[in-house]
């Protein structure tokens, strides 16, 4: 299947190339999918998008005219996709059903430690050559 993958970062290419193993013909685009970038979907059967891509009714109508029949989201949320317009144009929408509970928990712990030890503030200070410890005191959890 020929896929137009939007909002692409280096890590997207790395992992999609590694796991694709030439099953699909993927065209990577750094630009987000918007009305003014719909033309990039010409010749593709599917689009793969992320959270900042906007698939409103106008975009859905345009990509349907280019032959898109599948939208694959690289996220759990789908509030950026007009589902009714997809149904109207016969486009299937797939999404990530859930995130790894372990990854979510690990991220929560990382955020708690960042706030607790004020590493975000310390990092910014060091970038500015400010090595003061003032107001960087943490607390015991």
């Amino acid at each position: 299947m020929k896929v137009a993958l939007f909002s692409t970062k280096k890590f997207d290419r790395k992992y999609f190339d590694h796991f694709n193993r030439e099953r699909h013909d993927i065209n990577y685009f750094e630009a987000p999918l918007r009305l003014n970038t719909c033309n990039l979907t010409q010749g593709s059967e599917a689009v793969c998008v992320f959270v900042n891509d906007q698939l409103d009714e106008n975009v859905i109508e345009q990509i349907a005219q280019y032959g898109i029949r599948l939208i694959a989201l690289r996220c759990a949320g789908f509030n950026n996709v007009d589902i009714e317009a997809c149904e109207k144009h016969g486009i299937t929408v797939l999404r990530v059903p859930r995130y790894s509970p372990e990854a979510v928990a690990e991220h929560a712990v990382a955020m708690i430690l960042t706030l607790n030890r004020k590493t975000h503030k310390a990092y910014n200070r060091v970038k500015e050559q400010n090595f003061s410890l003032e107001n960087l005191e943490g607390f015991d959890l």
Side-chain angles (χ1 to χ4, degrees), residues 40-105:
L40 298 173
T41 68
Q42 291 182 31
S44 296
E45 303 162 78
V47 294
C48 184
V49 298
F50 199 48
V51 296
N52 291 322
D53 297 292
Q54 294 299 316
L55 288 85
D56 59 22
E57 186 174 7
N58 293 328
V59 169
I60 300 299
E61 184 177 337
Q62 189 65 52
I63 66 175
Q65 289 178 9
Y66 291 139
I68 299 300
R69 293 290 164 246
L70 175 70
I71 297 171
L73 297 157
R74 300 189 312 275
C75 51
F78 53 92
N79 58 313
N80 58 330
V81 179
D82 186 331
I83 300 297
E84 289 180 11
C86 290
E87 289 174 356
K88 177 181 169 185
H89 293 283
I91 298 175
T92 301
V93 179
L94 303 173
R95 67 181 181 95
V96 176
R98 66 183 178 93
Y99 289 112
S100 161
E102 294 83 9
V104 171

Side-chain angles (χ1 to χ4, degrees), residues 15-26 28:
Y15 288 103
F16 272 89
D17 285 345
H18 175 76
F19 289 105
N20 183 35
R21 298 196 173 100
E22 299 182 24
R23 286 183 227 149
H24 303 285
D25 180 11
I26 301 175
Y28 297 102

Side-chain angles (χ1 to χ4, degrees), residues 29-45:
F29 302 103
E30 290 182 18
L33 181 55
R34 302 257 195 282
L35 190 57
N36 65 336
T37 58
C38 285
N39 63 321
L40 298 173
T41 68
Q42 291 182 31
S44 296
E45 303 162 78

